[in-house]
Amino acid sequence: MSDDRVVPVILSGGVGTRLWPLSREGFPKQFWPLVGSSTMLQETVGRATGPGFAPPMIICAEAHRFLVAEQLREAGVAGGRIVLEPAARNSAPAIAAAAILAVEENPQALLWIMAADAAIKDLPALHAALDRAAAAARAGHIVAFGMRPTTPETGFGYMEAGAPLPGLEGASAIASFVEKPDAARAAEFLAGGRHLWNAGMFVARASTLLAELERLAPELVSAVRAAVETAGRDLDFVRLGAAFAEAPSISIDYAVMERTAHAAVVPADMGWSDVGSWDALWQVSPKDAAGNATHGPTSLVDAKNCYVRSEGILTTVVGLEDVIVVATEDAVLALHRDRAQDVKKLVDQLKAQKRPEAGAHRRMYRPWGHYEGLIQGDRFQVKKILVRPGEKLSLQKHYHRAEHWVVVNGTAIVERDAERLLLRENESVYLPLGCVHRLENPGMIPLTLIEVQAGAYLGEDDIVRFEDTYGRA
């Protein structure tokens, strides 16, 4: 008996540059709780769980593999596959890899492809649209979800709905695709009622997708097949081979949807937003009587229609209207709401200036927990390290630095050359340059310690690993 469950395929390769300074390459927007208590990735996975759904397949960058694994664990999602891209190659190669892997297990696999970072308010409407899309996909179509526009948005692509598909309720052919229009044309689309936002969400048989990719982009499929054939599998990860980087960088819209005779669209009203900018986040956030949306320690006086967010420090606004203020541990952003799309220009400028804040947070996540930079000086730096219960770092040594660890919360087991030490709160250990060492949390609560590094070179690449629980040695 064939497995006709829907396979959720979640594309988690985006960086979310326009939501800087919160979203950065090291920790993009899909890993943040932007519109609720769960992260965007967790909310996306949650929409595709339960009867009728197979475990999800997440496509992400190698650098984010442990973030994805930890967030799935926190959400109670088991059995999912995490597929690692060796290079970012846009949506078509990622979808091709998912289709090839799905067909290996079930030649009739039905894929529901979606981005990891969209907000959806009306889940019953989403699932009703999915039912209509699945029926059309089982009939051989590649079905896009078309969101009915609510504003003359110039930041989205559009699809024009064509003739209804016979025998498939709520599904239509796609008459045309339109790139991001100017304001006047977007207003025409809104008034006309035939054009829909392209949400980047699709349903299709994996076999249908592969057949069309083979016909329309054979060189792409060839590279991706080679990457799947040479893929490594460790822990919960499928690590695509190097050939993946040889695939053309192209979206599924350009590669297939705009060229195939099998394209269809299901219109939907579900309160969808791509949360692609701070203004978009303001629009979907709860607001006070003055139209202000806030998050974190904030205080506002005589402010109107503002979005104010803090990830730590008290952030205050007085007498402003239609502004965005975002404060993180190492950067502050202030701008007018109608300039929200220009944050990308700012990030490009920061990258040109080689500012580390352009892509990395002070807090860096690892499979065992995280560390946070506190102080950096000439030949020394201070970090706060948190190790989750039962986790341990790799057995390692450094050529250029010595370290001093002070336990401030929890219990630590420290291996230092031939020694094995048990450290409790307020106890410390010195690790001389070149010693082989390892840190472990044997307790039931998180282990927090302060690490002082001293030496000629303090880069994270000064690590020689001998053993590692997470396959990094």
Side-chain angles (χ1 to χ4, degrees):
M1 182 176 177
S2 65
D3 184 354
D4 208 30
R5 292 180 299 170
V6 173
V7 180
V9 175
I10 299 172
L11 307 181
S12 184
V15 176
T17 302
R18 289 174 295 168
L19 286 176
W20 186 91
L22 193 68
S23 179
R24 309 185 195 181
E25 289 179 10
F27 203 93
K29 67 174 181 174
Q30 59 267 30
F31 302 120
W32 289 95
L34 294 182
V35 294
S37 58
S38 299
T39 70
M40 302 294 284
L41 172 63
Q42 290 169 334
E43 290 192 355
T44 303
V45 172
R47 297 174 195 134
T49 57
F53 294 105
M57 186 184 304
I58 318 293
I59 317 292
C60 70
E62 170 94 10
H64 299 152
R65 64 196 187 279
F66 295 117
L67 281 172
V68 172
E70 175 61 17
Q71 294 205 352
L72 292 181
R73 186 195 65 79
E74 288 178 352
V77 176
R81 278 188 291 180
I82 302 171
V83 182
L84 307 180
E85 299 176 304
R89 306 308 292 157
N90 214 315
S91 60
I95 291 169
I100 292 168
L101 288 166
V103 165
E104 287 180 353
E105 294 188 355
N106 177 11
Q108 294 301 310
L110 186 68
L111 307 185
W112 181 18
I113 300 156
M114 56 193 135
D117 53 6
I120 294 175
K121 291 183 178 179
D122 191 340
L123 291 187
L126 169 67
H127 290 140
L130 174 62
D131 289 342
R132 296 192 293 272
R138 291 185 176 108
H141 295 280
I142 303 173
V143 189
F145 286 61
M147 305 303 166
R148 298 191 190 277
T150 55
T151 59
E153 177 61 54
T154 60
F156 299 151
Y158 286 72
M159 297 175 288
E160 182 183 5
L165 296 176
L168 294 169
E169 181 184 355
S172 301
I174 299 177
S176 65
F177 286 84
V178 183
E179 279 302 297
K180 298 175 182 178
D182 59 25
R185 199 174 186 203
E188 291 177 8
F189 291 167
L190 181 63
R194 297 190 319 276
H195 288 82
L196 306 161
W197 287 336
N198 184 354
M201 191 186 303
F202 308 94
V203 177
R205 293 276 192 203
S207 55
T208 305
L209 274 171
L210 281 176
E212 287 301 274
L213 282 164
E214 290 273 18
R215 185 174 68 86
L216 299 168
E219 71 288 351
L220 183 153
V221 178
S222 177
V224 176
R225 282 195 188 280
V228 172
E229 289 170 1
T230 57
R233 288 168 169 81
D234 61 88
L235 301 177
D236 297 324
F237 307 123
V238 177
R239 199 181 303 270
L240 296 174
F244 187 82
E246 299 172 8
S249 181
I250 186 172
S251 71
I252 195 67
D253 292 319
Y254 286 140
V256 174
M257 295 304 291
E258 297 187 14
R259 303 164 63 195
T260 180
H262 301 288
V265 62
V266 168
D269 288 302
M270 59 183 70
W272 172 87
S273 171
D274 75 338
V275 198
S277 69
W278 287 114
D279 183 58
L281 185 53
W282 172 82
Q283 292 179 30
V284 300
S285 297
K287 304 175 186 67
D288 63 18
N292 298 306
T294 61
H295 176 92
T298 61
S299 186
L300 284 67
V301 175
D302 296 331
K304 184 177 179 181
N305 297 331
C306 295
Y307 183 90
V308 183
R309 183 183 189 105
S310 173
E311 294 301 312
I313 61 173
L314 175 64
T315 302
T316 59
V317 168
V318 178
L320 296 180
E321 185 173 342
D322 295 321
V323 301
I324 293 161
V325 180
V326 181
T328 66
E329 71 280 0
D330 61 347
V332 176
L333 172 72
L335 71 157
H336 197 276
R337 275 184 35 229
D338 63 10
R339 298 294 299 276
Q341 299 295 329
D342 292 335
V343 174
K344 187 177 186 303
K345 296 179 182 177
L346 173 65
V347 175
D348 290 341
Q349 178 176 298
L350 294 174
K351 288 180 178 178
Q353 296 169 347
K354 301 188 184 305
R355 296 286 313 197
E357 298 91 344
H361 282 277
R362 280 173 53 183
R363 176 176 289 188
M364 300 296 290
Y365 288 81
R366 294 293 183 263
W368 41 261
H370 62 257
Y371 68 84
E372 185 174 343
L374 302 178
I375 303 171
Q376 184 158 5
D378 184 24
R379 294 177 62 90
F380 80 94
Q381 64 180 344
V382 181
K383 295 180 177 180
K384 182 172 73 173
I385 296 176
L386 182 143
V387 184
R388 294 193 304 271
E391 303 290 348
K392 58 184 175 182
L393 282 65
S394 59
L395 184 67
Q396 59 184 253
K397 73 174 182 179
H398 309 295
Y399 284 119
H400 302 288
R401 70 175 186 252
E403 296 176 344
H404 192 103
W405 293 343
V406 181
V407 176
V408 295
N409 192 51
T411 303
I413 291 177
V414 178
E415 295 179 41
R416 182 178 61 181
D417 290 331
E419 299 176 280
R420 186 174 173 87
L421 310 171
L422 179 66
L423 300 182
R424 297 180 176 85
E425 192 171 312
N426 294 323
E427 296 180 335
S428 64
V429 63
Y430 174 66
L431 305 168
L433 186 151
C435 80
V436 176
H437 59 277
R438 171 176 251 164
L439 175 65
E440 178 180 351
N441 178 1
M444 302 295 290
I445 64 172
L447 163 65
T448 304
L449 58 84
I450 300 298
E451 176 184 81
V452 180
Q453 301 178 355
Y457 178 73
L458 305 174
E460 282 301 307
D461 54 349
D462 180 24
I463 297 178
V464 179
R465 290 188 174 96
F466 301 99
E467 296 176 11
D468 184 62
T469 304
Y470 314 102
R472 299 172 299 168

